[in-house]
Amino acid sequence: MALMEKPLQNEQGQGADCPKETVIRARDLDLVFQTNDGPVHALKDVTLDIDRGDFVSFIGPSGCGKTTFLRVIAALEEPTGGEIMVNDLTPDEARRLRAYGYVFQAAGLYPWRTIAGNVKLPLEIIGFTREEQEERVKKVLELVDLEGFERKYPWQLSGGMQQRASIARALAFDAEILLMDEPFGALDEIVRDHLNEQLLKLWERTNKTICFVTHSIPEAVYLSTHIVVMSPRPGRIHEVIQNPLPRERPLEIRDTPEFLEVAHRVREGLKAGHGYDG
Amino acid sequence: MNWLFGSIAFWVAAWALNVWLANSPWRERRAVRIAIPVIFGISILVLWEGVVRGLQVSPVVLPPPSAIWARILQSFDILWRDFVQTAIKGAVSGYVIGCTAAFLTAILVDRKPFLRRGLLPIGNFVAALPIVGLAPIMVNWFGFGWESKAAVVVAMVFFPVLVNTVQGLSEASEMQRDLMRTYAAGYWQELVKLRLPAAMPFIFNGLKVGTTLALIGAIVAEYFGSPIYGMGFRISTEVGRLAIDMVWAEIAMAALAGSLFYGLVTLIEKWVTFWHPSQRG
Amino acid sequence: MTGDWMREKVLPVLTVVAAIFALWYGAAIWMNSSWTLAQAERAGKTLTFTEIVKDTMSQSRPKLPAPHQIAAEIWKSTVQKKITSKRSLIFHGWITLRATLAGFALGTAIGILMAIAIVYSRTMELSLMPWAVISQTIPIVALAPMIVVVLPKIGIEGRLIPKAIISAYLCYFPVLVGMVKGLRAPHREQLDLMKTYNASGLQSFLKLRLPSSVPYLFTSLKIGIAAALVGAIVGELPTGAVRGLGARILIGDQFGNPMQIWAALTCAAILAGLLIMIVGLLQRITLKRMGMAE
């Protein structure tokens, strides 16, 4: 896994303006699930560093452990071996400090709460004052372009709008790490393009660390600073591709040769990763 | 004979009207959806009246609706007193106690998955049993007053509400629970903000089943001993005296009480679970 | 796998059952001890705790009989009695079972026919469905005494039919609701497919709607058979019946014999369990044959 050292070096070389700070540090992470059909090796020897402000995409065929890795970061899954630290804390300690905003593939909004009520949910749990709740709800709904829908119920909104609301919910309490598990996977391509563009702007403005699971190559290339290519059985990291595209990315960048070149590298990586799967 | 044929003709006409309404362009209108069953109900009453009068059925077998109505007006004081004794004191108090107890038990049981797995099959089974048979025992334990009736009702509503609540509490999806974990929410926060609201449609299923059971329990318990009033008491004594019109008057009251009770719970359900797909339509 | 099944399913149930028995014994001691103590006081004796416990377990007319007393009573009135005897619970169980099955058959038939009518006719749906719901909010027990008294007057003799009617009244509704759901279960595409074959109404009913409804039907039948039993017992309770499990409860009450009530109640519970199990078994066999089993 010498590969894994690369992004770290690259970061240090590139980020001359501000000192890079590692937020998530995984070393030789292992996770074995015991199932009825015997043990399943969901993660094997995963070593990876993610720096503050990175946008990291995880891509790979199903069963490669990309979602599992996200869940390990969020302390929703306990690794069976290796080490993982988030801000020099264990994931569970970081969870208790509310370090994570998690966005699932389904929006998972509560149908009995309005959009504003849904965004308010984590704020109520964490215990913000009433005024601050209102203020933050207003701010994040603006951020995801949902002003005016505060009093609507989720089932009165389209799928894309629901997913935007769920992103607002994850942003509301200013968690420094945003974990997104195929958030746009269930949406059609047109809506998806639009949300990708918005997500980039949002990242630009908030400078959060984002871990993003996807199985769309263009999505991964368009969004991220690093693309982690994973392969299945056992789930492991095959390659980490440093994305050379500039941070300023209009949608049209996807037609440029540079973009296609990166996409090509990802595709090659996926192919090769699948190769020694036998 | 005029009565007979007249009423049959009326019924046929009413049915034809309903057929026309049900296939008319306004059939989705609220007013039409209410009018059709009402017209059907009225046509049945008219048919009943006509058949009884036309064939001169003995009032001991089946009194006409008009006679039942007259009896209701005449004996309203008695009926009201019976209603308060049976429906309010017996059924409603037992219902409230039983549902509250079941709800609290469900919350306790839910904390231990082991208990939940053990209690759910047993609760399901007990909910299907003829618990109403406990009536004589409760009368023996708690006396002739409304307390024994309430006790029967408690026993009858407890298990359906318990089972539905326990099931409902595990309704929240895995993903939504994960979400709560990422917020580092405590047990009570998760319960109040996620699992209870998600359980409400199930809880109300149990509560609705309970309304019917409550009245049945309260009435049956009176067959085994009661003060000299109450719906069950009245029915069993008036049947003995062959005052069938009074029996029907009580049945009408019981039907009204049952429907109102059920309707009230359904209304609260609509208000609480407005967000559920079954209520949005 | 079987170990898991034991741990996950059987063990919790057994634990809860054991807890119920423990509670029951505790309650029996507590509830019956007042009589024991009163007796002792009258005799001027003081009892030790073990003596009290022993006495509460063996009273002939306890407030709450202990489970083993009920078991003994059931043993006495089943195995040790001839089946034809008026004191045999098997005899009384049979009377109740007959009424239950008759009511179940009647209720199921009514439920299915009404469901078909409702699915195929909008007028029927709009006229009948609200009344079917209302019919379930009416406490049927209010009707029971009258049905029993009035039916003989119009020439229907015997107690079987009145009881079966009450049974059917309780049992038809779950069947109706389940069948309506089941007959409407086929997807739009499946119905459209039948249309492309130019299938007649009867053909698409027999080949599509009816088979699709079978799983729903069985789920309802399980509820229906339990409801039918409740109906049969309710039909026996208030009407001065002398045969049947409900009648045993009634007579036990009149003669102040709680043991008999509890024995009859327990038999009713066992009967309910058996009936639900049989329907469940039929469900599994049928669905397996139809290739619908999970």
Side-chain angles (χ1 to χ4, degrees):
Chain A
M1 287 288 133
L3 278 166
M4 295 311 103
E5 305 306 325
K6 249 193 208 157
L8 207 72
Q9 289 163 2
N10 279 340
E11 291 301 346
Q12 281 161 346
Q14 189 186 48
D17 45 341
C18 58
K20 281 289 172 181
E21 184 189 344
T22 306
V23 181
I24 298 168
R25 184 193 303 271
R27 290 287 174 275
D28 301 321
L29 215 55
D30 264 301
L31 182 73
V32 181
F33 289 117
Q34 298 300 334
T35 69
N36 285 339
D37 306 326
V40 170
H41 220 136
L43 290 176
K44 188 173 167 24
D45 295 335
V46 170
T47 296
L48 184 71
D49 284 340
I50 297 171
D51 291 336
R52 188 171 308 284
D54 276 358
F55 194 130
V56 183
S57 284
F58 295 85
I59 192 165
S62 57
C64 71
K66 48 194 195 298
T67 295
T68 311
F69 184 55
L70 224 57
R71 292 174 62 85
V72 170
I73 298 176
L76 294 174
E77 223 67 81
E78 186 76 29
T80 46
E83 193 190 37
I84 177 161
M85 300 299 265
V86 178
N87 288 332
D88 296 322
L89 301 169
T90 66
D92 203 54
E93 286 163 342
R95 177 178 73 87
R96 285 171 204 283
L97 294 173
R98 277 100 179 190
Y100 312 112
Y102 209 115
V103 181
F104 296 89
Q105 177 167 10
L109 300 169
Y110 294 179
W112 54 86
R113 282 177 175 247
T114 58
I115 293 304
N118 268 290
V119 176
K120 221 179 273 175
L121 175 74
L123 304 177
E124 288 171 10
I125 288 172
I126 294 168
F128 284 91
T129 63
R130 217 161 257 275
E131 297 82 60
E132 191 154 7
Q133 288 180 18
E134 299 297 338
E135 203 179 299
R136 280 170 178 257
V137 167
K138 196 168 168 313
K139 202 182 83 193
V140 290
L141 282 182
E142 259 166 40
L143 222 50
V144 297
D145 262 344
L146 276 178
E147 319 92 310
F149 291 93
E150 290 85 356
R151 305 182 67 117
K152 290 272 186 226
Y153 284 93
W155 29 276
Q156 295 168 322
L157 264 53
S158 70
M161 288 164 105
Q162 288 184 24
Q163 200 50 277
R164 260 153 51 198
S166 95
I167 292 171
R169 182 177 60 183
L171 290 172
F173 55 103
D174 241 339
E176 57 165 315
I177 302 167
L178 213 47
L179 303 171
M180 307 180 86
D181 186 1
E182 293 190 44
F184 310 135
L187 304 175
D188 66 60
E189 188 132 2
I190 298 164
V191 178
R192 194 177 186 152
D193 279 354
H194 178 62
L195 290 183
N196 278 340
E197 212 179 354
Q198 277 192 317
L199 180 61
L200 263 191
K201 281 190 192 137
L202 210 134
W203 173 62
E204 192 72 36
R205 260 186 285 175
T206 56
N207 203 32
K208 297 216 179 289
T209 312
I210 300 183
C211 300
F212 190 97
V213 166
T214 180
H215 44 222
S216 152
I217 296 175
E219 191 172 66
V221 176
Y222 178 68
L223 289 173
S224 18
T225 56
H226 301 80
I227 301 156
V228 179
V229 180
M230 299 184 74
S231 54
R233 281 173 300 267
R236 63 200 181 281
I237 295 180
H238 173 68
E239 187 184 4
V240 178
I241 296 170
Q242 163 81 31
N243 194 341
L245 296 176
R247 274 186 85 132
E248 187 70 32
R249 297 174 190 173
L251 268 179
E252 298 73 45
I253 203 171
R254 296 182 304 179
D255 302 321
T256 62
E258 292 82 6
F259 185 95
L260 295 175
E261 159 63 23
V262 184
H264 179 75
R265 276 175 61 198
V266 175
R267 189 168 294 115
E268 286 304 310
L270 283 171
K271 247 190 236 165
H274 224 48
Y276 57 95
D277 168 29
Chain B
M1 276 301 132
N2 280 343
W3 269 104
L4 183 62
F5 292 121
S7 65
I8 292 175
F10 180 88
W11 187 85
V12 171
W15 185 255
L17 175 64
N18 269 351
V19 171
W20 178 75
L21 274 176
N23 298 299
S24 69
W26 319 288
R27 62 190 201 180
E28 292 304 333
R29 291 260 182 92
R30 215 181 140 77
V32 172
R33 296 188 72 104
I34 294 172
I36 290 177
V38 169
I39 292 171
F40 181 73
I42 292 173
S43 76
I44 293 287
L45 283 181
V46 170
L47 188 66
W48 176 353
E49 183 85 29
V51 168
V52 169
R53 288 193 183 217
L55 299 178
Q56 287 170 355
V57 177
S58 152
V60 174
V61 173
L62 188 66
S66 56
I68 299 169
W69 180 243
R71 171 54 64 194
I72 292 177
L73 292 181
Q74 235 171 54
S75 319
F76 192 75
D77 292 345
I78 300 176
L79 291 170
W80 178 251
R81 196 177 177 203
D82 292 346
F83 170 80
V84 170
Q85 170 72 13
T86 309
I88 307 289
K89 287 190 190 163
V92 172
S93 66
Y95 178 80
V96 171
I97 298 170
C99 293
T100 313
F103 180 77
L104 295 178
T105 313
I107 302 267
L108 287 179
V109 166
D110 181 70
R111 289 208 79 160
K112 294 259 172 285
F114 183 82
L115 260 184
R116 185 173 60 219
R117 280 198 300 270
L119 212 78
L120 211 53
I122 293 176
N124 264 319
F125 175 62
V126 176
L129 296 180
I131 297 204
V132 66
L134 283 177
I137 288 158
M138 293 300 173
V139 172
N140 183 0
W141 287 357
F142 296 100
F144 282 5
W146 61 268
E147 295 85 350
S148 58
K149 283 72 199 172
V152 179
V153 174
V154 169
M156 287 181 80
V157 300
F158 183 81
F159 285 98
V161 176
L162 175 72
V163 168
N164 277 289
T165 308
V166 170
Q167 236 157 16
L169 283 175
S170 54
E171 243 335 84
S173 71
E174 208 52 47
M175 189 196 83
Q176 289 179 326
R177 283 178 207 207
D178 280 348
L179 190 67
M180 280 302 199
R181 284 204 59 186
T182 66
Y183 300 152
Y187 169 80
W188 291 104
Q189 285 179 322
E190 185 176 326
L191 184 71
V192 171
K193 294 203 188 290
L194 169 61
R195 294 171 56 217
L196 272 181
M200 279 306 161
F202 284 77
I203 296 175
F204 271 98
N205 269 346
L207 292 180
K208 282 194 289 190
V209 172
T211 58
T212 320
L213 292 175
L215 269 174
I216 292 184
I219 291 174
V220 170
E222 287 184 358
Y223 296 152
F224 290 96
S226 65
I228 51 160
Y229 47 89
M231 298 168 115
F233 167 81
R234 191 80 52 208
I235 289 168
S236 56
T237 46
E238 299 293 332
V239 161
R241 291 170 39 197
L242 288 180
I244 300 296
D245 55 344
M246 187 62 188
V247 176
W248 275 104
E250 284 288 357
I251 290 171
M253 288 297 279
L256 193 66
S259 305
L260 283 180
F261 198 4
Y262 184 86
L264 184 70
V265 175
T266 311
L267 217 64
I268 299 174
E269 179 190 24
K270 265 217 162 86
W271 179 65
V272 173
T273 65
F274 66 94
W275 49 271
H276 195 255
S278 66
Q279 302 288 347
R280 282 185 224 150
Chain C
M1 291 294 275
T2 46
D4 276 358
W5 184 72
M6 282 292 292
R7 237 194 342 270
E8 297 286 312
K9 297 255 167 75
V10 181
L11 195 64
V13 172
L14 287 181
T15 312
V16 172
V17 170
I20 290 173
F21 272 100
L23 277 177
W24 191 321
Y25 272 107
I29 293 170
W30 177 61
M31 292 181 77
N32 300 337
S33 63
S34 54
W35 191 80
T36 309
L37 292 176
Q39 287 296 101
E41 204 179 78
R42 214 167 297 158
K45 281 192 290 186
T46 42
L47 297 175
T48 64
F49 181 70
T50 26
E51 281 173 319
I52 295 175
V53 170
K54 225 172 148 189
D55 186 76
T56 54
M57 298 284 102
S58 56
Q59 293 170 8
S60 63
R61 296 193 169 185
K63 266 198 140 169
L64 177 63
H68 71 265
Q69 286 180 292
I70 299 172
E73 171 76 19
I74 291 176
W75 180 263
K76 210 172 73 191
S77 45
T78 51
V79 181
Q80 296 179 346
K81 289 277 183 312
K82 268 203 293 201
I83 289 181
T84 48
S85 157
K86 287 267 156 68
R87 293 207 172 147
S88 163
L89 274 176
I90 295 180
F91 168 77
H92 290 286
W94 164 244
I95 299 289
T96 303
L97 177 64
R98 252 186 7 183
T100 304
L101 292 180
F104 178 62
L106 187 63
T108 305
I110 293 173
I112 292 176
L113 289 178
M114 265 178 85
I116 294 172
I118 281 172
V119 167
Y120 278 93
S121 154
R122 237 192 112 69
T123 318
M124 282 283 194
E125 181 189 359
L126 290 175
S127 317
L128 286 184
M129 210 50 193
W131 289 107
V133 174
I134 290 174
S135 80
Q136 293 309 295
T137 68
I138 297 173
I140 173 67
V141 284
L143 286 165
M146 195 190 56
I147 292 175
V148 173
V149 169
V150 165
L151 280 185
K153 293 201 187 309
I154 51 175
I156 296 172
E157 287 300 331
R159 293 199 167 266
L160 178 67
I161 292 174
K163 284 196 281 182
I165 290 177
I166 296 164
S167 261
Y169 186 95
L170 282 184
C171 144
Y172 92 95
F173 187 71
V175 176
L176 167 66
V177 172
M179 268 312 266
V180 168
K181 228 190 223 167
L183 290 173
R184 287 194 173 143
H187 300 294
R188 221 218 136 83
E189 304 89 71
Q190 291 174 310
L191 287 165
D192 284 347
L193 189 66
M194 290 312 254
K195 242 183 216 160
T196 65
Y197 300 151
N198 195 24
S200 69
L202 185 67
Q203 280 172 324
S204 63
F205 175 76
L206 289 178
K207 296 209 185 292
L208 179 58
R209 285 192 191 267
L210 202 57
S212 314
S213 72
V214 172
Y216 295 84
L217 176 64
F218 271 108
T219 308
S220 307
L221 288 184
K222 273 200 268 187
I223 303 169
I225 192 90
L229 179 65
V230 173
I233 288 176
V234 162
E236 288 164 351
L237 278 182
T239 53
V242 289
R243 303 192 302 172
L245 292 176
R248 291 298 285 178
I249 294 173
L250 193 67
I251 294 167
D253 180 53
Q254 282 160 356
F255 290 90
N257 186 352
M259 211 80 93
Q260 192 183 320
I261 302 179
W262 283 101
L265 272 175
T266 311
C267 279
I270 295 169
L271 190 58
L274 285 177
L275 289 173
I276 296 171
M277 235 169 67
I278 291 170
V279 176
L281 211 66
L282 284 177
Q283 174 183 31
R284 273 171 60 184
I285 295 170
T286 314
L287 291 188
K288 204 163 213 173
R289 282 207 167 175
M290 293 176 69
M292 284 177 172
E294 308 98 73

